[in-house]
Amino acid sequence: MTDKWGKLVEERLQEAFAEGKFANLPGKGKPLYLEEDPLADPALWMARHILRNSGMSLPWIEERRRIEELLTESTAGLSRSWSSYAASGSREQPSPTAELRWQQAVAAFREQIATLNRRIRAYNLTVPHVRFQRLLANAEREVERICK
């Protein structure tokens, strides 16, 4: 029964296209307005609408943004420390002071990443679906990448 109706609908659509009935529809060439989802729960739609209009979003989305910002800031800090260490010309024979500063920067970075990974684990428990989870940061891989 479903195939019969589906076939009929498909035929009618094809006829309408052939006759040009879809050629001059209002809004042709303009982006679709997808603000409203007719299948969405009206209460959830209203909540999302209010958040979006006030420049806010869902808490777990805000947390994801903050995690990404913190990771970027931590990596940038380590990168600046590496640049300073490399610019001192002491990579082959590092001075004790330059070596100590670099080692302190790496230790601080590892601690920041450990803290960030705890936050990522907590975040992963709050997201509505597994596809929104974030992988843990890998401090050692970042240190290696920066030192290349």
Side-chain angles (χ1 to χ4, degrees), residues 13-132:
L13 283 172
Q14 292 299 326
E15 288 172 15
F17 273 114
E19 294 170 6
K21 291 185 178 178
F22 295 107
N24 296 317
L25 293 175
K28 181 179 178 183
K30 296 180 182 172
L32 292 175
Y33 177 71
L34 300 175
E35 176 89 14
E36 296 181 26
D37 180 358
L39 303 177
D41 177 8
L44 289 176
W45 178 88
M46 183 57 75
R48 281 194 294 269
H49 182 73
I50 290 169
L51 287 171
R52 188 178 310 116
N53 286 347
S54 63
M56 300 174 70
S57 63
L58 297 169
W60 63 269
I61 294 173
E62 292 296 321
E63 179 64 7
R64 172 72 181 235
R65 283 187 193 139
R66 186 65 185 134
I67 286 169
E68 297 302 331
E69 287 171 2
L70 291 171
L71 181 59
T72 300
E73 290 170 11
S74 297
T75 305
L78 185 66
S79 186
R80 283 190 301 276
S81 294
W82 174 254
S83 294
S84 175
Y85 177 70
S88 69
S90 58
R91 285 173 63 187
E92 290 80 26
Q93 290 254 190
S95 72
T97 305
E99 183 65 31
L100 178 63
R101 281 191 204 131
W102 170 243
Q103 293 305 322
Q104 288 172 338
V106 170
F109 178 74
R110 287 181 179 136
E111 183 56 38
Q112 290 169 347
I113 295 302
T115 300
L116 193 57
N117 280 337
R118 286 190 291 275
R119 196 165 176 169
I120 291 169
R121 285 184 188 97
Y123 160 81
N124 285 344
L125 294 173
T126 66
V127 297
H129 193 277
V130 70
R131 69 181 171 168
F132 298 117

